[in-house]
């Protein structure tokens, strides 16, 4: 009987400890919590009205990621829970993680293959925070949400690097500056250095990744605040080749600019020369036209005799200066 009473007393003490001591919990200001009873989270009346529906999911994704809207416990406390209940807490503050973070692999860079089949190393950081509106996906959707988000991000990044083309590459050499036959070579020159294009367009690449990962809150309950890809390192031998290609491209661009400036100068000088010649011709013709008008007026008003007399009087000063006169008729 004594043993039985001691056993019951132990159970009572254990139950008291479990209920009164470990039954209270608090939620920090940067945390949100979800309470489950026998493994089931408490649903809100408007299941599905928020959460996954607030993220820009594609139609096929909306069918796969239909998570219920659960009751979220905000900061405060102490709250009480029964022994059959469990508290799931998550920090909703913005955090950062390296792109190379992977709990299953020890790596210093993310390898990716470019459009011209070159292996390059990518590094940077991601800023993220747990989506307060979709905690069900974060706690219960996948086993390791951050690991899934990183895998999702790296997959999109590798696909983008493999197909990336400089959006301004075709404008590097203006087609109007080159003959039609050489336009194709200019395009090939701009498309043949994918790593170089990626380096020049890191802001564009970061913006693209942020746009493509806007659905992560609905898929995994994690919001990407910013993608900061800071490093794209090609192999050393490729880096030296890229330096040579860059020098060639810069030289070609400089030569084209110089040729364009010279041609513009020649065209301007030619226009000025034509204008000067036109003015000289008008200066030569203007006195003749004026003389023709004068002779016509004399003949109209005085007749042929007046015109002959005018011509004779005009010849007198010339005849005085002439030393020899030869008449042909």
């Amino acid at each position: 009987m004594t043993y039985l009473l001691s056993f019951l007393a132990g159970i009572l003490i254990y139950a008291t400890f479990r209920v009164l001591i470990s039954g209270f919990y608090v939620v920090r200001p940067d945390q949100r919590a979800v309470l489950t009873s026998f493994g089931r989270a408490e649903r809100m009346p408007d299941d599905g009205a928020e959460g996954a529906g607030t993220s820009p999911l594609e139609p096929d994704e909306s069918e796969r990621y239909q998570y219920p809207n659960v009751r979220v416990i905000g900061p405060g406390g102490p709250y009480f829970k029964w022994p059959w209940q469990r508290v799931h807490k998550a920090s909703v503050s913005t955090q950062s993680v390296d792109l190379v973070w992977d709990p299953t692999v020890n790596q210093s860079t993310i390898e990716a293959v470019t459009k011209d089949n070159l292996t390059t190393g990518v590094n940077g950081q991601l800023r993220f925070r747990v989506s307060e509106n979709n905690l069900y996906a974060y706690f219960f959707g996948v086993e390791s949400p951050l690991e899934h988000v990183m895998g999702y991000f790296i997959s999109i990044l590798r696909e983008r690097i493999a197909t990336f083309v400089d959006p301004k590459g075709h404008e590097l050499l203006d087609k109007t500056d080159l003959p039609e036959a050489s336009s194709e070579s200019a395009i090939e020159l701009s498309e043949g250095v994918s790593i170089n294009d990626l380096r020049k367009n890191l802001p564009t690449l970061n913006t693209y990744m942020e746009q493509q990962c806007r659905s992560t809150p609905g898929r995994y309950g994690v919001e990407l605040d910013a993608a900061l890809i800071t490093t794209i390192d090609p192999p050393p031998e490729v880096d030296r080749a890229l330096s040579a290609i860059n020098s060639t491209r810069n030289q070609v661009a400089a030569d084209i600019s110089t040729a364009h400036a010279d041609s513009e100068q020649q065209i301007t000088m030619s226009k000025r020369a034509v204008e000067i010649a036109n003015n000289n011709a008008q200066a030569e013709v203007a006195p003749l036209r004026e003389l023709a008008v004068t002779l016509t007026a004399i003949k109209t008003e005085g007749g042929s005799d007046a015109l002959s007399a005018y011509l004779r009087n005009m010849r007198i000063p010339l005849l005085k200066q002439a030393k020899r006169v030869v008449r042909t008729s």
Side-chain angles (χ1 to χ4, degrees), residues 128-162:
F128 70 96
R129 60 176 176 269
V130 176
S131 175
E132 185 177 352
N133 295 326
N134 199 18
L135 286 179
Y136 188 94
Y138 181 78
F139 286 127
F140 315 112
V142 293
E143 184 175 357
S144 179
L146 183 57
E147 188 176 351
H148 278 73
V149 169
M150 293 300 295
Y152 180 70
F153 183 89
I154 297 302
S155 299
I156 295 178
L157 178 62
R158 283 173 171 161
E159 185 273 338
R160 183 57 175 168
I161 290 177

Side-chain angles (χ1 to χ4, degrees), residues 23-27 75-81:
F24 294 95
Y25 64 95
V26 295
V27 180
Y79 299 104
F80 179 77
K81 70 177 183 64

Side-chain angles (χ1 to χ4, degrees), residues 20-95:
L20 297 182
I21 304 301
S22 64
F24 294 95
Y25 64 95
V26 295
V27 180
R28 297 201 310 264
D30 64 331
Q31 289 182 330
R32 301 295 183 271
V34 173
L35 188 65
T36 58
S37 300
F38 297 107
R40 177 183 172 83
E42 181 180 354
R43 268 67 166 173
M44 298 298 290
D46 52 345
D47 283 355
E50 296 182 356
T54 60
S55 298
L57 296 174
E58 298 295 332
D60 60 329
E61 294 177 328
S62 299
E63 297 178 357
R64 288 184 292 157
Y65 300 101
Q66 293 182 354
Y67 295 118
N69 191 21
V70 296
R71 188 173 72 87
V72 178
I73 302 175
Y79 299 104
F80 179 77
K81 70 177 183 64
W82 294 104
W84 55 84
Q85 292 180 322
R86 181 183 174 187
V87 180
H88 303 265
K89 299 179 183 178
S91 174
V92 294
S93 60
T94 301
Q95 306 174 55

Side-chain angles (χ1 to χ4, degrees), residues 55 78 95 108 165 227 246 267 279 290 297:
S55 298
Q95 306 174 55
S108 58
V165 176
N246 287 337
I267 292 174
N279 292 336
E290 187 65 25

